[in-house]
Amino acid sequence: MAQELKILIINGPNLNLLGKREPDVYGNQSFGDYFSKLQFQFKETELSYFQSNSEGDLITKIQDADGVFDGVVLNAAAYTHTSVGIGDAIAAVSVPVIEVHISNTFARESFRHQSYISKHATGIIVGFGLQSYELAIKSFL
């Protein structure tokens, strides 16, 4: 029997407000509700979830995932465009990281076109709403 994949989803700042914050951009579903649907959909995969508004906590979680998880799905949110440290953390670990964004960042303000993560990520998925997470998980299967 094949070993169950372990995938960690990491969400950055303000993503704890999904369902309330800018529903025209991010939708009206909470991530907790969506995560339950992902767990049901990917029953053969061990999914874990972490969210923080603090850059250092996100970096530590990425570092701690190395050698423990088979993949990381990362939505660093606003830190995508500002955090050299998160990019460096991804470069320092061997666990593959898929960068995801709910909105199409390239259709938004120009400062959102820059990512300090993309260079180090295994792949990037943007603009498919919450389905971006599903597509990222499928990339590990």
Side-chain angles (χ1 to χ4, degrees):
M1 186 164 134
Q3 184 175 350
E4 184 177 75
L5 280 179
K6 292 175 64 174
I7 297 174
L8 173 62
I9 297 172
I10 300 175
N11 274 344
N14 298 312
L15 291 172
N16 57 309
L17 299 176
L18 284 176
K20 300 175 189 172
R21 175 184 173 227
E22 298 181 73
D24 54 319
V25 175
Y26 300 106
N28 57 13
Q29 186 173 31
S30 74
F31 196 81
D33 289 345
Y34 183 66
F35 184 68
S36 294
K37 289 180 181 180
L38 289 174
Q39 288 177 304
F40 181 79
Q41 181 178 355
F42 296 101
K43 292 177 186 166
E44 302 299 318
T45 303
E46 182 182 326
L47 295 177
S48 298
Y49 173 61
F50 177 78
Q51 188 278 328
S52 179
N53 293 319
S54 300
E55 182 179 17
D57 292 345
L58 297 171
I59 291 169
T60 298
K61 200 67 171 178
I62 292 164
Q63 293 171 351
D64 290 348
D66 201 28
V68 176
F69 289 91
D70 299 300
V72 172
V73 175
L74 173 64
N75 185 342
Y79 287 135
T80 301
H81 321 293
T82 62
S83 179
V84 173
I86 292 175
D88 286 349
I90 295 166
V93 298
S94 61
V95 62
V97 175
I98 303 295
E99 176 184 354
V100 301
H101 297 284
I102 296 167
S103 66
N104 179 351
T105 55
F106 297 99
R108 298 183 66 195
E109 304 93 338
S110 61
F111 74 87
R112 296 186 194 274
H113 302 176
Q114 168 68 39
S115 171
Y116 288 99
I117 293 168
S118 298
K119 176 180 179 181
H120 307 292
T122 303
I124 306 160
I125 300 170
V126 299
F128 290 94
L130 288 174
Q131 188 183 11
S132 297
Y133 294 90
E134 175 187 341
L135 295 170
I137 292 166
K138 285 181 176 180
S139 76
F140 290 116
L141 304 179

